[in-house]
Amino acid sequence: MSDIRHSLLRRDALSAAKEVLYHLDIYFSSQLQSAPLPPLVDKGPAELLEEFLFQVPKERGVPPKRLNSLQELQLLEIMCNYFQEQTKDSVRQLIFSSLFSPQGNKADDNRMALLGKLVSMAVAVCRVPVLECAAFWLQRTPAVYCVRLARALVDDYCNLVPGSIQTLKQIFSASPRFCCQFITAVTALYDLSSDDLIPPSELLELIVSWIFEDPRLILITFLNTPIAANLPIGFLELTPLTGLIRWCVKAPLAYKRKQKASLSNGHPPTKIAKDSTEGDDGDCHQLYSKLHLTVLQVLMMLQGHLTEKNLYGRLGLVPFDHVVPLVEEINRLSDELNPLNASKEIELALDRLAQALQVAMASGALLCTRDDLRTVCSRLPHNNLLQLVISGPVQQPTHGALPPGFYPHIHTPPLGYPAHAAHPALPAHPAHPALPAHPVQTFIPGMTFPYRPIR
């Protein structure tokens, strides 16, 4: 590698970078032919990458080189063209990984900055091989770096140039795998813990449009990845389900908190500004409602997929460890907002939480017991639907006095039957006058009735 380095030092920055990619291609192609497993990057090639692509000098005390804007654009074009022209997917993935996998050294900042610009350019010119490589990178890289890439893309396509979100929207059909990983990273970035971490309305609309068009987008990584029952800690989840549930559940409270903060700053908004804000928030609430419905539909699909992969009951795609902080956040927000002024928002958030928990448990995506849920949700404000979910189904004793197929009433004996039929120890009451025939609801045999009285 020393001979190659001396040769590169005599070249200008762009031709040296191009030459490094050429040597790296040869190196990995030969390594893959001789070894069945993907090779690790040796120290020599890694140092060449850092010095000639990320402009980090090898010698101490030497100031780092800086590419001007035109040179940087040309470098990005060189890299885009290389990944586009490389026909071997395994080599392409290895080189992308060797370029942009964080190493925990001083080159990481330059590495992440260049990665953000490369993926942003790939979105703009629809370079699918780069987007596919970025999707695998997001899957195999610690979440803290994935969030940085997501923020760079959001800044470029939601904040920097108005209307450019349409360019990002068009990659849905080009690289669904990248879209799935991007959604997962974005939900990790925008967790609604503060007003600054509420997703921009344009981004929300983009993600809802993607998912509503094809709900299976959420499951692409899960369905196309060999999976072990124990997932690594500190990486993005296999699906964005947990993050999307967090969005839907916390949104009513987060937007109410944001509205409360704007009113308490001492400068009440004008009527025009107020109408505009309420209109934007109303649109967002409609989007969250649409998103919540789609997430529930995706959860209902999961049982079959988990069973097919032999992971039913073994892999929780909605980890209980993530449900606990979500419930704590809802409780904190409910306390922070005056329940008298936010009763509708609290009720909506708890309804959505209850629905998500019920469907996730029924589909095998959430692995926990009702006792676990009761313990976690015990401090939340009262909500009828949530109480039904955490209580769970009750098996009623058979009633000989009732014909089969009829559901016995829980609190009181059914009309037309004397009270002592249900409570023999009580004295008999006068018989009710004759009542007209009243239709009694029958239930499909074999289906449990998930009702339990609220205690």
Side-chain angles (χ1 to χ4, degrees), residues 15-59:
S15 60
K18 194 171 184 178
E19 188 75 11
V20 167
L21 286 175
Y22 169 76
H23 285 293
L24 206 61
D25 186 284
I26 296 174
Y27 171 79
F28 277 123
S29 296
S30 61
Q31 289 287 319
L32 282 172
Q33 288 178 357
S34 59
L37 296 176
L40 297 175
V41 184
D42 291 338
K43 183 179 178 181
E47 289 179 347
L48 290 180
L49 287 174
E50 292 179 1
E51 184 173 4
F52 294 102
L53 257 85
F54 304 121
Q55 311 302 321
V56 177
K58 186 177 180 181
E59 293 83 6

Side-chain angles (χ1 to χ4, degrees), residues 405-407 439-443 449:
F406 288 82
Y407 184 75
V440 183
Q441 184 177 6
T442 59
F443 290 85
F449 185 66

